[in-house]
Amino acid sequence: MARVTIFGAGYVGVPTGAHFARTHRVTIYDPDNNKVENINKVIDNDSDSLHIHEKGLIELLQENHENIVATTDISLALDRPEIIFIAVGTPPNEKGRANLKYVCAAAEQIAKNVKNDCVVLNKSTVPPGTAYLVKEIIDKHLVNDVKISVGSCPEFLAEGTAVEDLRTPDRIVYGCDDTEALDKVTEFFLYLHGRSTLSPMTTLSSEVTKYAANALLATKISFMNSLAILCDAVGANIREVQEGVGKDTRVGRKFLNASMGYGGSCFPKDTSAIAEYGQLFSSPLEIIESTILVNDKTIKYFSEKIIHAFGDDLSDKNFIIWGIGFKARTDDLRESKPVQVARELMDRGAHVHIYDTVKGALENFKVENPSYEGKYSVYHEQYEMVNGNIDGLIIGNEHEKFRNPDVEKLENMRGKYIFDGKNVLNNHLIKSLKRKGFNYRSVGKDTVANAVDKTKLIDFLKNQYMD
């Protein structure tokens, strides 16, 4: 059992700390007293809500309550830790680069307060070379005569499934150029996972791996989204294309779901950051740059479908949005595509009626959109807002509650439009909706509800492919 300190009580730090507490002694440090009090109340079973929403996290914290504590006291946080994980925020600046000020501040705090030899690992997503910068800062401000090794251990967590991702990871990537420290980290993880799961490497390789993985996954999504737009143009079904491509074991099924674009705290930030990093090193990453452009194009493409159906002026229109979080089962609205759609509609005069299965997502929408007050309403029941004044339903994320809507409850909508931003409705349901007079729009599978224009395609081929 090792003594571990985690800097940062956010979407990465808290789940990671709860997981490590299965077999290690963990202290989570954060200067935010509200977050710390919140975590400790949950640990002590005095509260059943956290400042972040993550399935199974509260139960895990309470299960391992003897091995974990949160604090704002830096001296307590740095009381003989063997390994320190820096999991603070690295929000992008206006150029898309990761802001390292919180990482550097954590490094300085460690240097001024640590009293024993230890290993410091960056868990935050940071540009390659950051571990060397952290080491430089620590060496500059180090107060006590101790040895501090610095490396990288990037997180690979998906919001909504972070607890399970930590328990059964595909791999654990970590790097340190100090072989003794690398061995110590390996020993630490062997308490939790099998050796085949571990991927030790050099510091720089570890830092690059994080960006490479997220950028590649985002590229798969944008690749399918660009094909989805083509499918709409010619009349193919992107879901069928996805199935045919995904069965190729060289490709795989994951991250091939076409939609109105990816969002969240990772993919938008990480693709922009690594693309900008490549430009700074005169090594442009054109594929990733194209991935970003396609993602921006796809949300505009989806939004324009709504506008095309009703016109530019939406001042007398009402829309329902099911799912405002960037994905199902999260309260995170960072780079959320349904939020972008909501703002576009409100900017054009529409009133939006928002429902999400996660209460925190609705609260966050209120906090993050003060200028739109009066232009939206939030609801805690899925069909509460369905009435004769509603012009269209927009499916914002992939929660299973949105996959099989009660059609009878939707029939009294004034405008029978369903805009499926995540392509979650199945073909049978779409055809049933069509028979009941609904207009269905998606990203790449409109053909399910609309006949293919064969004549248009034949004429196109005659005009363009006969020379």
Side-chain angles (χ1 to χ4, degrees):
M1 176 179 286
R3 296 175 67 90
V4 183
T5 293
I6 297 176
F7 274 66
Y11 284 93
V12 174
V14 180
T16 300
H19 174 66
F20 288 166
R22 297 177 192 270
T23 56
H24 299 290
R25 297 295 300 273
V26 178
T27 300
I28 298 176
Y29 169 77
D30 198 290
D32 189 323
N33 190 61
N34 290 331
K35 290 181 180 179
V36 168
E37 284 188 357
N38 186 208
I39 295 167
N40 285 329
K41 284 181 179 179
V42 169
I43 292 171
D44 295 337
N45 207 14
D46 292 332
S47 173
D48 61 356
S49 65
L50 274 172
H51 56 283
I52 59 174
H53 181 86
E54 198 61 60
K55 181 181 178 182
L57 179 55
I58 289 173
E59 293 80 1
L60 187 60
L61 285 167
Q62 293 173 348
E63 176 185 332
N64 299 314
H65 64 95
E66 293 182 351
N67 286 341
I68 187 167
V69 66
T71 185
T72 59
D73 185 341
I74 190 66
S75 60
L76 177 62
L78 295 178
D79 180 22
R80 295 170 292 136
E82 296 169 62
I83 302 179
I84 300 171
F85 292 88
I86 298 178
V88 298
T90 55
N93 61 20
E94 67 281 358
K95 294 183 178 179
R97 303 173 191 171
N99 191 331
L100 297 178
K101 66 178 182 179
Y102 301 113
V103 172
C104 293
E108 187 171 338
Q109 282 186 299
I110 291 168
K112 291 179 177 179
N113 292 278
V114 74
K115 297 179 177 64
N116 60 284
D117 296 353
C118 62
V119 180
V120 174
L121 298 172
N122 285 325
K123 186 154 279 294
S124 304
T125 302
V126 292
T130 301
Y132 300 150
L133 172 61
V134 169
K135 174 63 173 171
E136 180 183 84
I137 291 171
I138 289 176
D139 288 346
K140 178 181 178 181
H141 296 281
L142 196 61
V143 172
N144 297 297
D145 185 17
V146 295
K147 178 185 177 183
I148 309 295
S149 299
V150 180
S152 166
C153 181
E155 55 86 14
F156 293 93
L157 306 180
E159 287 186 41
T161 60
V163 170
E164 184 61 21
D165 293 341
L166 285 160
R167 190 180 70 83
T168 58
D170 293 330
R171 79 292 197 209
I172 298 170
V173 173
Y174 57 99
C176 191
D177 297 342
D178 180 338
T179 55
E180 183 180 341
L182 193 66
D183 290 342
K184 186 173 184 177
V185 177
T186 297
E187 182 182 353
F188 167 82
F189 279 118
L190 285 174
Y191 277 91
L192 291 156
H193 305 283
R195 189 175 292 274
S196 62
T197 308
L198 309 186
S199 295
M201 57 186 70
T202 63
T203 301
L204 280 172
S205 294
S206 175
E207 291 173 327
V208 171
T209 297
K210 167 63 177 182
Y211 277 116
N214 279 0
L216 181 58
L217 295 176
T219 298
K220 289 180 71 174
I221 295 171
S222 280
F223 175 77
M224 293 306 290
N225 284 345
S226 63
L227 281 178
I229 295 174
L230 175 64
C231 285
D232 272 345
V234 302
N237 184 333
I238 190 61
R239 282 293 193 184
E240 294 173 349
V241 175
Q242 168 192 324
E243 182 74 9
V245 172
K247 284 185 176 179
D248 188 327
T249 56
R250 297 169 301 174
V251 177
R253 295 172 179 267
K254 293 185 176 181
F255 291 88
L256 291 183
N257 294 324
S259 69
M260 55 183 162
Y262 59 76
S265 62
C266 294
F267 288 178
K269 175 171 69 73
D270 292 353
T271 50
S272 294
I274 194 62
E276 174 70 10
Y277 191 87
Q279 288 287 351
L280 293 172
F281 270 86
S282 299
S283 301
L285 300 167
E286 289 93 346
I287 292 176
I288 299 173
E289 291 171 354
S290 296
T291 293
I292 297 167
L293 290 174
V294 170
N295 196 52
D296 292 340
K297 175 183 178 181
T298 307
I299 184 60
K300 292 178 183 177
Y301 173 76
F302 180 73
S303 297
E304 285 170 1
K305 286 196 173 192
I306 304 173
I307 297 164
H308 178 74
F310 298 98
D312 291 336
D313 183 5
L314 302 176
S315 56
D316 62 340
K317 304 302 179 185
N318 288 272
F319 296 93
I320 294 171
I321 298 180
W322 281 349
I324 202 67
F326 86 91
K327 63 184 289 190
R329 289 173 289 277
T330 182
D331 60 354
D332 194 347
L333 304 188
R334 285 175 287 185
E335 298 292 334
S336 167
K337 299 309 177 189
V339 170
Q340 292 181 32
V341 171
R343 290 172 178 165
E344 176 74 21
L345 298 180
M346 290 187 290
D347 285 342
R348 293 176 180 271
H351 192 93
V352 296
H353 305 259
I354 303 168
Y355 166 75
D356 198 287
T357 59
V358 179
K359 182 179 178 181
L362 299 173
E363 297 303 317
N364 288 342
F365 186 86
K366 294 177 185 178
V367 171
E368 296 179 16
N369 294 277
S371 63
Y372 289 100
E373 186 175 355
K375 297 182 179 180
Y376 67 88
S377 305
V378 299
Y379 298 84
H380 299 286
E381 298 294 335
Q382 186 174 358
Y383 296 94
E384 183 181 355
M385 73 292 281
V386 180
N387 57 52
N389 294 321
I390 298 298
D391 296 286
L393 165 64
I394 299 159
I395 300 177
N397 67 39
E398 71 282 6
H399 196 280
E400 52 269 20
K401 290 185 71 173
F402 310 149
R403 296 174 182 270
N404 292 289
D406 188 329
V407 178
E408 290 186 3
K409 292 182 178 179
L410 299 177
E411 283 189 322
N412 66 339
M413 288 169 51
R414 177 170 64 189
K416 294 191 174 183
Y417 278 88
I418 295 180
F419 300 93
D420 188 355
K422 286 292 186 177
N423 291 350
V424 296
L425 301 191
N426 63 60
N427 290 357
H428 176 76
L429 179 57
I430 294 168
K431 291 173 182 177
S432 176
L433 287 166
K434 175 73 172 178
R435 290 193 295 270
K436 292 180 182 294
F438 283 88
N439 295 285
Y440 176 81
R441 300 290 185 271
S442 64
V443 186
K445 52 182 291 190
D446 288 0
T447 185
V448 176
N450 302 288
V452 176
D453 190 342
K454 297 178 182 178
T455 301
K456 176 184 176 181
L457 287 175
I458 292 171
D459 290 343
F460 173 80
L461 294 175
K462 288 180 176 178
N463 290 331
Q464 300 294 333
Y465 285 83
M466 292 301 180
D467 292 334

